[in-house]
Amino acid sequence: MYRASPGGSQTLIVKGMHCASCVARVEQALKSVPGVADASVNLALGRAEVRFADKPPPLEQLTAAVARAGYAATPAAQPSQEPSPPADRLLASLQRRFVVSLILTLPVFVISMLHMLPGMPEITFPSRDLVFLVLATPVQFWAGWPFLSGAFRVLLRGSADMNTLIALGTLSAYGYSAVVTLAHPDTSHGEHVWFEAQMVIITLVLAGRLLEERAKARASQAIRGLMAMQPPTARIVRNGSEVEIPVESVVVGDIVSIRPGERIPTDGIVLEGQSAVDESLLTGEPMPVTKRPGDAVFGGTLNTTGAFRFRAERVGRETLLVQIITLVHQAQTTKAPVERLADRVSAVFVPVVVVIATAAGLAWFAYGQWQNSSALEPALRAFVTTLIIACPCALGLATPTAILVGTGRGAQLGILIRGGEALEAAGRIDLVLLDKTGTLTVGRPTVVAVVPLGGLSGSELLRLAASIEQRSEHPLASALGERARSEQLVLDSPEEFEALPGLGVVGSVHGRRYAIGNIGLMDQRGANLEPSVRQLLEQFAADGRTPILVAEEAGTPGSRITILGVLAVADPIREGSREAVAALQAMGLEVWMVTGDHIQTAQAVAERLGIAKVIAEVLPTRKAEVVRQIQDTGKKVAMVGDGLNDAPALAQADLGIAIGAGADVALEASDITLVRSDPRDIVTAIRLARHTLRTIRQNLFFAFVYNCLAIPLAAANLVNPMIGSAAMALSSVSVVSNSLRLRHFGETR
């Protein structure tokens, strides 16, 4: 049975929504239920977050309210519940409708429009219009059924949306053409029928709807990607032996055993053993974190080399991973959807057009009766011409054509834009918040300096360290091996090897014993570091580099130790990061950096990039909070990141931009994806998005101005249906031509 605590919330899965108007109707229906304080609907996820003022209403009242609005709602078991699978059947249905509509439309369009080309004759043949009618009927009533049924549903609720515009325009063109054709089926009426306009509108709008539904399906996959990070089972210790159980059965206080290479199933505190844990899943930082007794571990993170046991402290919905999942839900759900201008205006525009057309028809009919002349023909002409000339061809094409061309050009440049909401958001941002690791930096440790101190050459020092580290699975060892391979060094096989978690490794080569690791290892082995060496280590730390000391032990462990050299490992700055920061600042945007890394390392990177504002040592769950705090100051924020830990912040931001090499969930939570992982593409993406948005606004302005000028002329019977159809076609051509200019948008480099 449904239960919700007073002042709490309930998540509903809503089916049947397809546009911003649907979102508004569902929200309005839920807010009308007594006891509901607020309701926020996410179209991409198909979810509604309902918040209660005091005593929660019964679930039946919520679902009934949604049903009255024309949709279906079911409760989600918990905020982090995996969303329902993508609507594959809906996507397949839309694709079938689009393909059939395209196949039937092409011959009608070519035959009808070919004569408009210079020197081309008009194609006529017996019963041509009757053939057009046969082809147009399934396009109108089968391919276009989603728009017709949608318009009928909103009509029953006394409202209007883009479906109303599409249905009204296409039915007007189809109905008038069908009447003319059936009156004289053996005659070719040429410009007096508009089957091609009706069919092209439905085909193009179906293409836009298909792309929209695919984007929604991708968005719903994000949470499944997050949930997949949690292992399905856990190995717990009971009665002295290890037992594998489902992760859902782990309770607080259970002792969990972790082996090398396994993911940690839940949050807890280490009791025994040591290891290095890769927490990049949560923090985005590539360096594994050493875990000793008393340290915290988090579900979903990856154990690397050692084995340990920990006590479960937070399980189920309380784990950090599930909290991040919940944050993604909340950030996406509470973010106000951007309604398209055409949808907002359609609620007023459509009724006004119908009233004007009806009034014009009645006025001309009354005038004809008064003049004792034919009253029906001018009345019908005024009514139909007004509807046809107001047919939302240009209005319907204004947004999808600009988006199709703009996003197509973006794909050529390695930039994936999710749609109109991202474009509108890009036009408003005034601050860019950049994640450090994986965005401004490469995201993996690299040897950036080799400093020999004990008589060896740089190559010899690197070869010695890489030879011993061959048996280590630590990322720093991988960095040494990669650098050695790049210099084509031949490595020796270590005769002895021992990993010391949190310190480094010791081993022997050719009978000599060496220690390789941090200053803690050197202190443990009794090394006496000279002031110059300590100064070098301090300089590396100030520059955000991790030092690795290489030393030789004389004889047995504990004997005199000699420092042979120091290697520095760092996460290098990406190529193009400096240019990207400078270009963003030149656009008048504030540029900040946020990272989970230490403040000293973060500031060192920021100084090299010319970034003045740095927010460092930020926990994964706080990145979205940081974005919210900046938004509370009135700024519109673009968040750029690549890791799982960035996903809530990407969703919370006014504009989320994901580096393509990052986690899949970051890409799904973002509005714009940079496939090439080049920071300079951030600048290109924002410029392209703004340019596309400007084109949409131009298109909508032209479409509205056209209607404002043309409708009065049609109502006054100063324009016949043929001229009205030509004007309608001209407005569409103008909008498409304006959108096609985006094909020439160039890169900023």
Side-chain angles (χ1 to χ4, degrees), residues 366-373:
Y367 178 77
Q369 292 283 8
W370 181 57
Q371 292 290 329
N372 294 320
S373 60

Side-chain angles (χ1 to χ4, degrees), residues 5 33 92 119 153 162 177 205 234 239 243 271 309 328 335 337 564 580 597 681 720:
S5 58
V33 177
R153 284 198 304 268
M162 277 299 295
S177 302
V205 177
N239 301 321
V243 181
L271 297 178
R309 290 181 176 182
V328 173
K335 183 169 61 175
L564 301 180
D597 212 343
D681 283 344
N720 62 37

Side-chain angles (χ1 to χ4, degrees), residues 193-384:
V193 293
W194 304 281
F195 290 119
E196 77 284 351
Q198 160 246 332
M199 298 171 77
V200 167
I201 292 171
I202 291 176
T203 303
L204 288 178
V205 177
L206 276 172
R209 185 68 59 84
L210 182 62
L211 294 174
E212 202 171 290
E213 291 299 328
R214 283 177 175 171
K216 282 196 264 183
R218 286 195 303 269
S220 68
Q221 292 169 359
I223 308 302
R224 284 195 296 276
L226 280 168
M227 295 297 290
M229 300 298 180
Q230 187 175 46
T233 61
R235 190 181 303 102
I236 66 171
V237 180
R238 287 184 179 170
N239 301 321
S241 60
E242 296 183 358
V243 181
E244 191 165 325
I245 64 172
V247 70
E248 297 84 4
S249 301
V250 178
V251 297
V252 174
D254 277 342
I255 307 303
V256 184
S257 177
I258 299 296
R259 298 172 183 173
E262 293 183 340
R263 286 199 178 272
I264 298 172
T266 188
D267 296 0
I269 301 296
V270 177
L271 297 178
E272 58 182 79
Q274 294 186 16
S275 184
V277 176
D278 181 359
E279 295 185 341
S280 59
L281 170 73
L282 302 176
T283 66
E285 301 305 323
M287 303 292 185
V289 180
T290 300
K291 299 295 181 180
R292 301 184 180 88
D295 290 339
V297 292
F298 304 99
T301 57
L302 179 65
N303 182 38
T304 57
T305 55
F308 62 91
R309 290 181 176 182
F310 73 93
R311 181 179 62 251
E313 296 287 336
R314 291 185 296 182
V315 299
R317 286 189 287 175
E318 301 301 318
T319 63
L320 183 60
L321 177 62
V322 176
Q323 286 182 29
I324 290 179
I325 295 172
T326 304
L327 283 173
V328 173
H329 269 312
Q330 292 176 346
Q332 290 185 336
T333 304
T334 57
K335 183 169 61 175
V338 181
E339 288 186 296
R340 292 174 180 165
L341 182 58
D343 279 328
R344 293 197 298 267
V345 173
S346 64
V348 176
F349 176 74
V350 175
V352 167
V353 170
V354 174
V355 169
I356 292 174
T358 304
L362 292 175
W364 280 103
F365 184 80
Y367 178 77
Q369 292 283 8
W370 181 57
Q371 292 290 329
N372 294 320
S373 60
S374 175
L376 183 59
E377 183 178 350
L380 286 175
R381 186 168 61 246
F383 178 75
V384 173

Side-chain angles (χ1 to χ4, degrees), residues 3 7 99 132 165 167 240 297 319 429-430 479 484 534 537 597 603 614 629 714:
R3 292 284 188 271
V99 171
F132 285 179
L165 292 172
V297 292
T319 63
I429 64 168
D430 44 36
R534 293 189 180 275
L537 298 181
D597 212 343
Q603 287 179 337
V614 178
Q629 290 173 348

Side-chain angles (χ1 to χ4, degrees), residues 420-430 589 636 654-655 686 689-691 693-694 697:
E421 293 185 4
L423 298 171
E424 291 195 33
R428 297 192 306 267
I429 64 168
D430 44 36
L589 299 171
K636 300 297 183 182
D654 299 279
L655 180 70
I686 294 175
R690 288 181 171 181
H691 198 65
L693 177 60
R694 186 162 55 248
R697 288 172 174 165

Side-chain angles (χ1 to χ4, degrees), residues 390-402:
C391 177
C393 291
L395 190 59
L397 293 171
T399 298
T401 54

Side-chain angles (χ1 to χ4, degrees), residues 5-30:
S5 58
S9 64
Q10 170 69 28
T11 302
L12 299 175
I13 299 175
V14 183
K15 298 180 179 179
M17 299 186 298
H18 57 77
C19 70
S21 298
C22 300
V23 170
R25 282 191 289 275
V26 173
E27 287 181 347
Q28 184 177 7
L30 289 170

